[in-house]
């Protein structure tokens, strides 16, 4: 269950990072939207990984 959640968060992080590196007219807005979400997702993933490690 936690491992599935970790996979989903990792996939979202990858998408956000891709959005941040995309060059387009809406890049500035993407950065403003994706930046905080990316930080939150990385923090959440860190906590999920800690939980998974503690369960092993």
């Amino acid at each position: 269950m936690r491992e599935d959640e970790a996979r989903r968060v990792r996939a979202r992080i990858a998408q956000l990072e891709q959005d941040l590196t995309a060059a387009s007219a809406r890049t500035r807005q993407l950065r403003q939207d994706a930046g905080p979400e990316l930080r939150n997702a990385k923090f959440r993933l860190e906590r999920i990984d800690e939980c998974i490690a503690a369960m092993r």
Side-chain angles (χ1 to χ4, degrees):
M1 185 165 131
R2 289 284 185 196
E3 291 174 351
D4 289 338
E5 184 178 4
R7 277 191 281 278
R8 287 192 304 272
V9 173
R10 282 188 184 95
R12 184 62 182 146
I13 288 171
Q15 181 63 49
L16 289 167
E17 288 175 339
Q18 184 178 6
D19 289 350
L20 285 171
T21 59
S24 70
R26 59 191 188 114
T27 301
R28 181 178 172 166
Q29 185 62 41
L30 282 174
R31 281 194 309 263
Q32 289 176 345
D33 294 344
E37 186 179 351
L38 181 59
R39 280 190 300 276
N40 290 337
K42 286 184 176 185
F43 177 79
R44 183 174 173 209
L45 179 59
E46 185 179 323
R47 296 299 167 255
I48 293 168
D49 285 341
E50 288 173 1
C51 182
I52 291 170
M55 292 176 8
R56 292 186 176 165

Short mmCIF file of all heavy atoms in Angstrom, two decimals:
data_model
loop_
_atom_site.label_atom_id
_atom_site.label_comp_id
_atom_site.label_asym_id
_atom_site.label_seq_id
_atom_site.Cartn_x
_atom_site.Cartn_y
_atom_site.Cartn_z
N MET A 1 0.82 -1.19 0.00
CA MET A 1 0.00 0.00 0.00
C MET A 1 0.87 1.26 0.00
O MET A 1 0.70 2.12 -0.84
CB MET A 1 -0.91 -0.02 1.23
CG MET A 1 -1.88 1.11 1.26
SD MET A 1 -3.15 0.78 2.46
CE MET A 1 -3.16 2.29 3.32
N ARG A 2 1.79 1.36 0.93
CA ARG A 2 2.67 2.54 0.97
C ARG A 2 3.58 2.57 -0.26
O ARG A 2 3.91 3.63 -0.76
CB ARG A 2 3.55 2.52 2.23
CG ARG A 2 2.79 2.81 3.49
CD ARG A 2 2.48 4.26 3.59
NE ARG A 2 1.86 4.55 4.87
CZ ARG A 2 1.23 5.65 5.12
NH1 ARG A 2 1.15 6.58 4.22
NH2 ARG A 2 0.67 5.85 6.29
N GLU A 3 3.99 1.37 -0.72
CA GLU A 3 4.87 1.33 -1.90
C GLU A 3 4.13 1.83 -3.13
O GLU A 3 4.72 2.51 -3.98
CB GLU A 3 5.42 -0.07 -2.08
CG GLU A 3 6.40 -0.45 -0.99
CD GLU A 3 6.86 -1.88 -1.06
OE1 GLU A 3 6.31 -2.67 -1.84
OE2 GLU A 3 7.79 -2.21 -0.29
N ASP A 4 2.83 1.52 -3.25
CA ASP A 4 2.03 2.05 -4.36
C ASP A 4 1.94 3.57 -4.27
O ASP A 4 2.06 4.27 -5.27
CB ASP A 4 0.62 1.45 -4.35
CG ASP A 4 0.60 -0.01 -4.73
OD1 ASP A 4 1.56 -0.47 -5.40
OD2 ASP A 4 -0.37 -0.70 -4.38
N GLU A 5 1.73 4.06 -3.06
CA GLU A 5 1.66 5.51 -2.86
C GLU A 5 2.99 6.16 -3.23
O GLU A 5 3.03 7.20 -3.88
CB GLU A 5 1.29 5.82 -1.42
CG GLU A 5 1.10 7.29 -1.15
CD GLU A 5 0.68 7.60 0.28
OE1 GLU A 5 0.60 6.67 1.11
OE2 GLU A 5 0.45 8.78 0.55
N ALA A 6 4.09 5.52 -2.84
CA ALA A 6 5.41 6.06 -3.17
C ALA A 6 5.61 6.10 -4.68
O ALA A 6 6.15 7.07 -5.21
CB ALA A 6 6.50 5.22 -2.51
N ARG A 7 5.16 5.06 -5.38
CA ARG A 7 5.28 5.04 -6.85
C ARG A 7 4.47 6.18 -7.47
O ARG A 7 4.95 6.84 -8.40
CB ARG A 7 4.81 3.70 -7.42
CG ARG A 7 5.86 2.63 -7.38
CD ARG A 7 5.44 1.41 -8.18
NE ARG A 7 4.49 0.57 -7.46
CZ ARG A 7 4.82 -0.32 -6.55
NH1 ARG A 7 6.09 -0.50 -6.25
NH2 ARG A 7 3.91 -1.05 -5.94
N ARG A 8 3.27 6.41 -6.96
CA ARG A 8 2.44 7.50 -7.49
C ARG A 8 3.10 8.87 -7.23
O ARG A 8 3.11 9.73 -8.11
CB ARG A 8 1.04 7.46 -6.88
CG ARG A 8 0.18 6.33 -7.40
CD ARG A 8 -1.27 6.49 -7.00
NE ARG A 8 -1.46 6.61 -5.56
CZ ARG A 8 -1.61 5.58 -4.72
NH1 ARG A 8 -1.58 4.36 -5.18
NH2 ARG A 8 -1.79 5.79 -3.43
N VAL A 9 3.65 9.04 -6.05
CA VAL A 9 4.30 10.31 -5.73
C VAL A 9 5.54 10.50 -6.59
O VAL A 9 5.79 11.59 -7.10
CB VAL A 9 4.63 10.40 -4.22
CG1 VAL A 9 5.46 11.64 -3.92
CG2 VAL A 9 3.36 10.40 -3.39
N ARG A 10 6.32 9.43 -6.79
CA ARG A 10 7.50 9.54 -7.66
C ARG A 10 7.11 9.91 -9.08
O ARG A 10 7.77 10.72 -9.73
CB ARG A 10 8.27 8.22 -7.66
CG ARG A 10 9.10 8.02 -6.44
CD ARG A 10 10.00 6.78 -6.56
NE ARG A 10 10.71 6.55 -5.33
CZ ARG A 10 10.31 5.74 -4.37
NH1 ARG A 10 9.23 5.03 -4.52
NH2 ARG A 10 11.02 5.61 -3.27
N ALA A 11 6.02 9.31 -9.58
CA ALA A 11 5.55 9.63 -10.93
C ALA A 11 5.13 11.10 -11.00
O ALA A 11 5.42 11.78 -12.00
CB ALA A 11 4.40 8.72 -11.32
N ARG A 12 4.46 11.59 -9.98
CA ARG A 12 4.04 13.00 -9.97
C ARG A 12 5.24 13.93 -9.91
O ARG A 12 5.28 14.96 -10.58
CB ARG A 12 3.09 13.26 -8.78
CG ARG A 12 2.55 14.65 -8.76
CD ARG A 12 1.70 14.96 -9.97
NE ARG A 12 1.24 16.35 -9.92
CZ ARG A 12 1.08 17.10 -10.98
NH1 ARG A 12 1.29 16.60 -12.18
NH2 ARG A 12 0.70 18.34 -10.86
N ILE A 13 6.24 13.55 -9.12
CA ILE A 13 7.47 14.35 -9.04
C ILE A 13 8.12 14.42 -10.42
O ILE A 13 8.54 15.48 -10.87
CB ILE A 13 8.44 13.78 -7.98
CG1 ILE A 13 7.89 14.06 -6.58
CG2 ILE A 13 9.84 14.37 -8.16
CD1 ILE A 13 8.65 13.35 -5.47
N ALA A 14 8.20 13.29 -11.09
CA ALA A 14 8.81 13.26 -12.43
C ALA A 14 8.03 14.17 -13.38
O ALA A 14 8.64 14.91 -14.17
CB ALA A 14 8.84 11.84 -12.96
N GLN A 15 6.70 14.14 -13.32
CA GLN A 15 5.89 14.99 -14.18
C GLN A 15 6.11 16.47 -13.86
O GLN A 15 6.26 17.30 -14.74
CB GLN A 15 4.41 14.65 -14.04
CG GLN A 15 3.51 15.49 -14.93
CD GLN A 15 3.79 15.29 -16.41
OE1 GLN A 15 3.86 14.15 -16.86
NE2 GLN A 15 3.96 16.36 -17.14
N LEU A 16 6.15 16.80 -12.58
CA LEU A 16 6.37 18.19 -12.19
C LEU A 16 7.75 18.67 -12.64
O LEU A 16 7.89 19.81 -13.11
CB LEU A 16 6.22 18.34 -10.68
CG LEU A 16 4.80 18.21 -10.14
CD1 LEU A 16 4.83 18.05 -8.63
CD2 LEU A 16 3.95 19.39 -10.55
N GLU A 17 8.76 17.83 -12.49
CA GLU A 17 10.10 18.22 -12.93
C GLU A 17 10.14 18.41 -14.43
O GLU A 17 10.79 19.33 -14.93
CB GLU A 17 11.12 17.18 -12.47
CG GLU A 17 11.37 17.23 -10.97
CD GLU A 17 12.28 16.14 -10.46
OE1 GLU A 17 12.43 15.10 -11.14
OE2 GLU A 17 12.83 16.31 -9.35
N GLN A 18 9.42 17.56 -15.16
CA GLN A 18 9.36 17.72 -16.61
C GLN A 18 8.66 19.02 -16.97
O GLN A 18 9.10 19.75 -17.87
CB GLN A 18 8.63 16.53 -17.23
CG GLN A 18 8.59 16.56 -18.74
CD GLN A 18 7.89 15.35 -19.31
OE1 GLN A 18 7.34 14.53 -18.60
NE2 GLN A 18 7.93 15.22 -20.62
N ASP A 19 7.57 19.33 -16.27
CA ASP A 19 6.86 20.58 -16.51
C ASP A 19 7.76 21.79 -16.26
O ASP A 19 7.70 22.78 -16.99
CB ASP A 19 5.62 20.69 -15.62
CG ASP A 19 4.52 19.72 -16.03
OD1 ASP A 19 4.62 19.09 -17.11
OD2 ASP A 19 3.56 19.59 -15.24
N LEU A 20 8.58 21.70 -15.23
CA LEU A 20 9.45 22.82 -14.89
C LEU A 20 10.52 23.06 -15.95
O LEU A 20 10.97 24.19 -16.14
CB LEU A 20 10.12 22.60 -13.53
CG LEU A 20 9.21 22.82 -12.33
CD1 LEU A 20 9.90 22.35 -11.06
CD2 LEU A 20 8.81 24.28 -12.21
N THR A 21 10.93 22.02 -16.64
CA THR A 21 11.97 22.17 -17.65
C THR A 21 11.42 22.42 -19.05
O THR A 21 12.17 22.70 -19.97
CB THR A 21 12.90 20.93 -17.68
OG1 THR A 21 12.12 19.77 -17.97
CG2 THR A 21 13.61 20.75 -16.36
N ALA A 22 10.10 22.31 -19.21
CA ALA A 22 9.48 22.54 -20.52
C ALA A 22 9.57 24.02 -20.89
O ALA A 22 9.33 24.88 -20.07
CB ALA A 22 8.03 22.09 -20.50
N ALA A 23 9.90 24.28 -22.13
CA ALA A 23 9.98 25.65 -22.61
C ALA A 23 8.74 25.96 -23.43
O ALA A 23 8.50 25.34 -24.46
CB ALA A 23 11.23 25.84 -23.45
N SER A 24 7.96 26.89 -22.95
CA SER A 24 6.77 27.32 -23.69
C SER A 24 6.35 28.69 -23.19
O SER A 24 6.93 29.23 -22.24
CB SER A 24 5.63 26.31 -23.50
OG SER A 24 5.14 26.37 -22.19
N ALA A 25 5.30 29.21 -23.79
CA ALA A 25 4.82 30.53 -23.39
C ALA A 25 4.26 30.50 -21.97
O ALA A 25 4.24 31.52 -21.29
CB ALA A 25 3.74 30.99 -24.37
N ARG A 26 3.82 29.36 -21.51
CA ARG A 26 3.24 29.28 -20.18
C ARG A 26 4.22 28.77 -19.14
O ARG A 26 3.83 28.40 -18.03
CB ARG A 26 1.99 28.41 -20.21
CG ARG A 26 2.24 27.02 -20.69
CD ARG A 26 0.93 26.28 -20.95
NE ARG A 26 1.25 24.91 -21.23
CZ ARG A 26 0.92 23.89 -20.46
NH1 ARG A 26 0.24 24.09 -19.37
NH2 ARG A 26 1.26 22.68 -20.80
N THR A 27 5.50 28.78 -19.44
CA THR A 27 6.52 28.26 -18.54
C THR A 27 6.51 28.96 -17.19
O THR A 27 6.62 28.31 -16.16
CB THR A 27 7.92 28.37 -19.18
OG1 THR A 27 7.91 27.63 -20.39
CG2 THR A 27 8.97 27.81 -18.28
N ARG A 28 6.39 30.26 -17.20
CA ARG A 28 6.42 30.98 -15.92
C ARG A 28 5.27 30.53 -15.01
O ARG A 28 5.47 30.29 -13.83
CB ARG A 28 6.34 32.47 -16.17
CG ARG A 28 6.38 33.25 -14.89
CD ARG A 28 6.35 34.72 -15.14
NE ARG A 28 6.19 35.42 -13.87
CZ ARG A 28 6.39 36.69 -13.72
NH1 ARG A 28 6.75 37.42 -14.73
NH2 ARG A 28 6.23 37.24 -12.54
N GLN A 29 4.08 30.42 -15.58
CA GLN A 29 2.94 29.97 -14.79
C GLN A 29 3.14 28.53 -14.32
O GLN A 29 2.81 28.19 -13.18
CB GLN A 29 1.64 30.07 -15.60
CG GLN A 29 0.40 29.74 -14.79
CD GLN A 29 0.20 30.69 -13.63
OE1 GLN A 29 0.39 31.90 -13.75
NE2 GLN A 29 -0.20 30.17 -12.49
N LEU A 30 3.70 27.67 -15.16
CA LEU A 30 3.98 26.29 -14.76
C LEU A 30 4.94 26.24 -13.58
O LEU A 30 4.74 25.47 -12.64
CB LEU A 30 4.57 25.49 -15.93
CG LEU A 30 3.60 25.00 -16.99
CD1 LEU A 30 4.37 24.37 -18.15
CD2 LEU A 30 2.62 24.01 -16.41
N ARG A 31 5.97 27.07 -13.64
CA ARG A 31 6.94 27.11 -12.54
C ARG A 31 6.28 27.56 -11.26
O ARG A 31 6.52 27.01 -10.19
CB ARG A 31 8.11 28.02 -12.88
CG ARG A 31 9.12 27.40 -13.80
CD ARG A 31 10.42 28.19 -13.83
NE ARG A 31 10.23 29.60 -14.06
CZ ARG A 31 10.35 30.21 -15.23
NH1 ARG A 31 10.65 29.50 -16.29
NH2 ARG A 31 10.17 31.51 -15.35
N GLN A 32 5.43 28.58 -11.36
CA GLN A 32 4.76 29.08 -10.17
C GLN A 32 3.82 28.04 -9.58
O GLN A 32 3.68 27.93 -8.38
CB GLN A 32 4.00 30.36 -10.50
CG GLN A 32 4.90 31.53 -10.75
CD GLN A 32 4.15 32.78 -11.18
OE1 GLN A 32 2.99 32.73 -11.55
NE2 GLN A 32 4.83 33.91 -11.13
N ASP A 33 3.18 27.27 -10.44
CA ASP A 33 2.24 26.25 -9.98
C ASP A 33 2.96 24.99 -9.50
O ASP A 33 2.59 24.39 -8.50
CB ASP A 33 1.27 25.86 -11.09
CG ASP A 33 0.33 26.99 -11.48
OD1 ASP A 33 0.21 27.96 -10.71
OD2 ASP A 33 -0.27 26.90 -12.56
N ALA A 34 3.98 24.57 -10.24
CA ALA A 34 4.63 23.29 -9.98
C ALA A 34 5.65 23.37 -8.85
O ALA A 34 5.85 22.37 -8.14
CB ALA A 34 5.32 22.78 -11.25
N GLY A 35 6.26 24.50 -8.64
CA GLY A 35 7.31 24.61 -7.62
C GLY A 35 6.86 24.18 -6.23
O GLY A 35 7.45 23.27 -5.65
N PRO A 36 5.83 24.80 -5.68
CA PRO A 36 5.38 24.41 -4.34
C PRO A 36 4.88 22.96 -4.28
O PRO A 36 5.13 22.24 -3.32
CB PRO A 36 4.24 25.39 -4.04
CG PRO A 36 4.50 26.55 -4.92
CD PRO A 36 5.14 26.00 -6.16
N GLU A 37 4.17 22.54 -5.34
CA GLU A 37 3.68 21.16 -5.35
C GLU A 37 4.84 20.18 -5.38
O GLU A 37 4.81 19.14 -4.72
CB GLU A 37 2.76 20.93 -6.54
CG GLU A 37 2.13 19.56 -6.51
CD GLU A 37 1.17 19.30 -7.67
OE1 GLU A 37 0.84 20.23 -8.42
OE2 GLU A 37 0.76 18.14 -7.80
N LEU A 38 5.88 20.51 -6.13
CA LEU A 38 7.06 19.65 -6.20
C LEU A 38 7.74 19.53 -4.84
O LEU A 38 8.08 18.43 -4.40
CB LEU A 38 8.05 20.19 -7.25
CG LEU A 38 9.32 19.39 -7.46
CD1 LEU A 38 9.00 17.96 -7.89
CD2 LEU A 38 10.19 20.07 -8.50
N ARG A 39 7.90 20.64 -4.15
CA ARG A 39 8.51 20.59 -2.82
C ARG A 39 7.68 19.74 -1.87
O ARG A 39 8.22 18.92 -1.11
CB ARG A 39 8.66 22.01 -2.26
CG ARG A 39 9.86 22.75 -2.81
CD ARG A 39 10.12 24.05 -2.06
NE ARG A 39 9.01 24.98 -2.13
CZ ARG A 39 8.77 25.82 -3.13
NH1 ARG A 39 9.60 25.84 -4.15
NH2 ARG A 39 7.74 26.64 -3.10
N ASN A 40 6.37 19.92 -1.91
CA ASN A 40 5.48 19.13 -1.06
C ASN A 40 5.54 17.64 -1.40
O ASN A 40 5.55 16.80 -0.50
CB ASN A 40 4.04 19.63 -1.16
CG ASN A 40 3.85 20.98 -0.51
OD1 ASN A 40 4.62 21.38 0.35
ND2 ASN A 40 2.82 21.69 -0.94
N ALA A 41 5.58 17.32 -2.68
CA ALA A 41 5.63 15.92 -3.10
C ALA A 41 6.94 15.27 -2.65
O ALA A 41 6.95 14.12 -2.20
CB ALA A 41 5.46 15.81 -4.61
N LYS A 42 8.04 15.99 -2.77
CA LYS A 42 9.33 15.44 -2.34
C LYS A 42 9.34 15.21 -0.82
O LYS A 42 9.85 14.20 -0.34
CB LYS A 42 10.48 16.35 -2.77
CG LYS A 42 10.75 16.24 -4.25
CD LYS A 42 11.96 17.08 -4.65
CE LYS A 42 12.28 16.89 -6.11
NZ LYS A 42 13.51 17.58 -6.50
N PHE A 43 8.77 16.14 -0.08
CA PHE A 43 8.68 15.99 1.37
C PHE A 43 7.82 14.77 1.70
O PHE A 43 8.18 13.95 2.55
CB PHE A 43 8.09 17.25 1.99
CG PHE A 43 7.89 17.16 3.47
CD1 PHE A 43 8.96 17.33 4.34
CD2 PHE A 43 6.64 16.90 4.01
CE1 PHE A 43 8.79 17.24 5.71
CE2 PHE A 43 6.45 16.81 5.38
CZ PHE A 43 7.53 16.97 6.24
N ARG A 44 6.67 14.66 1.04
CA ARG A 44 5.77 13.53 1.27
C ARG A 44 6.46 12.21 0.94
O ARG A 44 6.33 11.23 1.68
CB ARG A 44 4.52 13.71 0.42
CG ARG A 44 3.49 12.66 0.61
CD ARG A 44 2.25 13.02 -0.16
NE ARG A 44 1.30 11.94 -0.11
CZ ARG A 44 0.42 11.68 -1.04
NH1 ARG A 44 0.36 12.44 -2.10
NH2 ARG A 44 -0.40 10.67 -0.92
N LEU A 45 7.18 12.16 -0.18
CA LEU A 45 7.88 10.94 -0.57
C LEU A 45 8.92 10.55 0.47
O LEU A 45 9.06 9.36 0.81
CB LEU A 45 8.55 11.12 -1.94
CG LEU A 45 9.32 9.92 -2.46
CD1 LEU A 45 8.42 8.70 -2.59
CD2 LEU A 45 9.97 10.26 -3.79
N GLU A 46 9.62 11.52 1.00
CA GLU A 46 10.61 11.25 2.04
C GLU A 46 9.95 10.59 3.25
O GLU A 46 10.46 9.60 3.79
CB GLU A 46 11.29 12.55 2.45
CG GLU A 46 12.42 12.37 3.43
CD GLU A 46 13.07 13.71 3.77
OE1 GLU A 46 13.18 14.57 2.88
OE2 GLU A 46 13.46 13.87 4.94
N ARG A 47 8.80 11.10 3.65
CA ARG A 47 8.08 10.51 4.80
C ARG A 47 7.57 9.11 4.47
O ARG A 47 7.61 8.21 5.31
CB ARG A 47 6.90 11.40 5.21
CG ARG A 47 7.31 12.76 5.71
CD ARG A 47 8.20 12.64 6.97
NE ARG A 47 8.83 13.91 7.26
CZ ARG A 47 10.12 14.18 7.04
NH1 ARG A 47 10.91 13.27 6.56
NH2 ARG A 47 10.62 15.35 7.33
N ILE A 48 7.07 8.91 3.25
CA ILE A 48 6.60 7.57 2.85
C ILE A 48 7.75 6.58 2.85
O ILE A 48 7.62 5.45 3.33
CB ILE A 48 5.92 7.63 1.46
CG1 ILE A 48 4.64 8.45 1.54
CG2 ILE A 48 5.62 6.22 0.95
CD1 ILE A 48 4.05 8.80 0.17
N ASP A 49 8.89 6.99 2.30
CA ASP A 49 10.07 6.11 2.29
C ASP A 49 10.51 5.75 3.70
O ASP A 49 10.91 4.61 3.96
CB ASP A 49 11.22 6.76 1.52
CG ASP A 49 11.01 6.73 0.01
OD1 ASP A 49 10.20 5.91 -0.46
OD2 ASP A 49 11.68 7.51 -0.69
N GLU A 50 10.46 6.72 4.61
CA GLU A 50 10.81 6.43 6.01
C GLU A 50 9.84 5.40 6.62
O GLU A 50 10.24 4.50 7.34
CB GLU A 50 10.79 7.71 6.84
CG GLU A 50 11.93 8.64 6.55
CD GLU A 50 11.79 9.98 7.27
OE1 GLU A 50 10.81 10.18 8.01
OE2 GLU A 50 12.68 10.84 7.06
N CYS A 51 8.57 5.55 6.29
CA CYS A 51 7.56 4.61 6.79
C CYS A 51 7.80 3.21 6.25
O CYS A 51 7.74 2.22 6.98
CB CYS A 51 6.17 5.11 6.39
SG CYS A 51 4.83 4.09 7.01
N ILE A 52 8.09 3.12 4.95
CA ILE A 52 8.37 1.82 4.33
C ILE A 52 9.59 1.19 4.96
O ILE A 52 9.60 0.00 5.29
CB ILE A 52 8.55 1.98 2.80
CG1 ILE A 52 7.20 2.34 2.15
CG2 ILE A 52 9.12 0.71 2.19
CD1 ILE A 52 7.32 2.75 0.70
N ALA A 53 10.64 1.98 5.17
CA ALA A 53 11.86 1.45 5.78
C ALA A 53 11.61 0.95 7.20
O ALA A 53 12.16 -0.07 7.60
CB ALA A 53 12.95 2.54 5.77
N ALA A 54 10.77 1.65 7.93
CA ALA A 54 10.48 1.25 9.32
C ALA A 54 9.66 -0.03 9.35
O ALA A 54 9.76 -0.80 10.32
CB ALA A 54 9.72 2.38 10.01
N MET A 55 8.89 -0.29 8.31
CA MET A 55 8.06 -1.50 8.27
C MET A 55 8.87 -2.73 7.91
O MET A 55 8.43 -3.85 8.14
CB MET A 55 6.92 -1.31 7.28
CG MET A 55 5.92 -0.28 7.75
SD MET A 55 4.54 0.17 6.65
CE MET A 55 4.58 -0.92 5.31
N ARG A 56 10.05 -2.55 7.37
CA ARG A 56 10.87 -3.70 6.94
C ARG A 56 11.70 -4.22 8.04
O ARG A 56 12.02 -3.86 9.00
CB ARG A 56 11.75 -3.31 5.76
CG ARG A 56 10.90 -3.06 4.53
CD ARG A 56 11.74 -2.82 3.33
NE ARG A 56 10.82 -2.68 2.20
CZ ARG A 56 11.17 -2.19 1.05
NH1 ARG A 56 12.38 -1.83 0.83
NH2 ARG A 56 10.28 -2.08 0.09
#
